[in-house]
Amino acid sequence: MIRVLVLPGSTRTDAFSKRLARAAAKLVEQAGAQATFADLRDHAMPLYDGDLEAAEGVPEAALRLRKAMQSHDALLVVSPEYNASIPAVLKNAIDWLSRPYAAEPGVSPFKNKVAALLSSSPGALGGLRGLVHLRQILQNLGMLVISEQFALGNAGGAFAPDGSLADGKQAAGVAAVVQRLVQVAGRLAG
Ligand SMILES: Cc1cc2nc3c(=O)[nH]c(=O)nc-3n(C[C@H](O)[C@H](O)[C@H](O)COP(=O)(O)O)c2cc1C
């Protein structure tokens, strides 16, 4: 079975991106794959610092996330938008994960893996501008980022009490991204 790691780009408890990630994880399962929710709050990392890296290596929280990436076939990132880009906490995690790990020389948790992007915002654009940057970053790390993506605008009113997306069109937009991700991951897995 295809395994999808669902990664919200916010640590906030009631984050819209976490709510969208949970709704998307259900859609992953409806698409016949397995979803794992990864919370960056459970993977607290120091800000990347070359001196710290030289002294202590890659932090344990980053290694756990690296292992999670390696044990999944696909990555679904659900990001807020900060100042028309991605939040520092998400970029910092990506930066640590991109660093060489002495125990696995030459092995990248990103390379040749497939990813899909979702965003959410209380604003009308849904965080769409941040996805441009996120796509570029992940592609630069060797990920195959599928072209389908979805930006959830006006996220404050988007969720039904059970956590699903209230609007059928929005739910269908997210489902289309998820289904394509599972399909491409399945083909890559052979
Ligand atoms: C530093 C900062 C910058 C922000 N910049 C944007 C922005 O460029 N576009 C946008 O739609 N919302 C922006 N917001 C508002 C966020 O979309 C809003 O706080 C959102 O709830 C954060 O995501 P979360 O709910 O997943 O934690 C910004 C918020 C913060 C704290």
Side-chain angles (χ1 to χ4, degrees), residues 117-172:
L117 312 182
L118 303 174
S119 63
S120 53
S121 166
L125 293 181
L128 188 62
R129 295 169 303 175
L131 292 188
V132 177
H133 292 181
L134 185 54
R135 176 174 295 278
Q136 185 179 13
I137 292 163
L138 295 180
Q139 283 178 341
N140 184 59
L141 287 166
M143 293 199 101
L144 169 65
V145 185
I146 63 167
S147 28
E148 292 83 355
Q149 62 180 30
F150 188 85
L152 178 68
N154 305 313
F159 297 95
D162 69 353
S164 64
L165 286 165
D167 181 291
K169 267 194 194 156
Q170 292 188 323

Side-chain angles (χ1 to χ4, degrees), residues 3 37 81 94 110 113 164 175:
R3 302 186 71 203
F37 186 91
E81 178 181 84
I94 293 171
F110 298 99
K113 276 242 159 98
S164 64

Side-chain angles (χ1 to χ4, degrees), residues 75-131:
L75 178 69
L76 179 61
V77 189
V78 188
S79 187
E81 178 181 84
Y82 278 8
N83 296 309
S85 187
I86 67 170
V89 71
L90 177 60
K91 181 63 163 55
N92 189 52
I94 293 171
D95 288 345
W96 273 118
L97 261 69
S98 73
R99 298 301 297 156
Y101 174 41
E104 292 174 352
V107 177
S108 155
F110 298 99
K111 217 168 170 56
N112 302 323
K113 276 242 159 98
V114 61
L117 312 182
L118 303 174
S119 63
S120 53
S121 166
L125 293 181
L128 188 62
R129 295 169 303 175
L131 292 188

